[in-house]
Amino acid sequence: MSLLLIAPNRDMNVWKESILEVDPNIDIEIWPKVKHKERVNFAVSWRHPKNVLNGYSNLKAVTSLGAGVNHLLEDEAIPEHVKLARVVTSSLKEQLAEYVLTAVLNYRNHTSRYVDQKREGYWSPHDAISKKDCVIGIMGLGEMGIEAARMLSNNGYSVTGWSKTEKQIDGIETFIYNQLNEFLDETNILVCMLPLTSETQGILNLDVFKKLKKPAYLINVGRGAHLIEEDLIYGIDTGALAGACLDVFEEEPLPSHHLFWNRPKIMITPHIGAVTDPKEAVAQIVENYKRTLSGMDLINQVDKKKGY
Ligand code: GLV
């Protein structure tokens, strides 16, 4: 019985140590130097290369290191019977909510213009965008979306939300699936916090941007594939959007020749909106490892049909 850690761009020794602090008896392998594939029952993955989980004949469950699980659902090498889970912690929720709040404040106060102006040694004040022109519409009212909605609302913003199933959140007007147009009609700042599924792929498109209340702005902390990239550029160039703040991209790292880099109205961060802290997440991971060994359902288990 063993647990496999697999995340090409992260130092998994830190995770190993944190797991061993919770339970020193767990046998841990770190990809790619796996000694006994057949002993692996449980894998912890962050964006592993597709197909490398092939040949783990006793694999029973895989957990994402983060809240997103599309990298697991998209990997056909993970057999249907293997259970999937995600990690949700209070710090992940808080980090992402703070990221969104920061993006809103940066937009309202022209932060990136002042950074550019400083580089040029150029003094020129701009009127801040008033709060009443910043109705924030959150797409996706899962645990992360609800936390962001609450934080923004507590900071005095008018917040609305759109979700697949009906949600009731104090002080927040909510819309369901077939009320997308009504939701967009009231929204200035559109925030994507949706899971990536076949229904939500490409949902951030020109048609949607045009329906937003003006001035309109986009914040994407979902996944790159939610956004039709050329529609964003066209939307900004034609005034449907005043700009955008993006933390996720179709291709990551964003290639150096990508058109977004040279667009002053597009703020770019390298997928840092919410980064899982090993200390906070290991209890959940160890619990799920033990549940897997006893054949139980997992904490934060993914519904494969729903895709989240
Ligand atoms: C980050 O993108 C995550 O899914 O946790």
Side-chain angles (χ1 to χ4, degrees), residues 16-35:
K16 180 174 176 175
E17 277 160 32
S18 301
I19 291 174
L20 291 177
E21 271 172 37
V22 178
D23 184 341
N25 297 318
I26 299 182
D27 190 2
I28 300 177
E29 301 249 29
I30 300 184
W31 182 86
K33 291 187 190 143
V34 183
K35 288 191 219 95

Side-chain angles (χ1 to χ4, degrees), residues 9 47 70 74 196 201 220 222-230 246-261 268-271:
N9 302 318
R47 301 190 149 213
N70 57 302
E74 284 161 11
L196 182 64
Q201 183 159 356
N220 189 14
R223 284 290 178 262
H226 283 127
L227 173 68
I228 308 287
E229 295 190 338
E230 57 273 29
L246 309 175
D247 187 48
V248 287
F249 302 88
E250 183 87 54
E251 188 179 345
E252 294 180 9
L254 188 64
S256 56
H257 59 266
H258 199 284
L259 290 176
F260 287 169
W261 287 116
I268 290 172
T269 53
H271 203 145

Side-chain angles (χ1 to χ4, degrees), residues 198-215:
S198 53
E199 281 168 301
T200 64
Q201 183 159 356
I203 197 163
L204 304 175
N205 58 52
L206 190 60
D207 192 36
V208 159
F209 304 152
K210 282 185 182 159
K211 287 178 182 155
L212 291 169
K213 200 152 87 163
K214 307 294 176 274

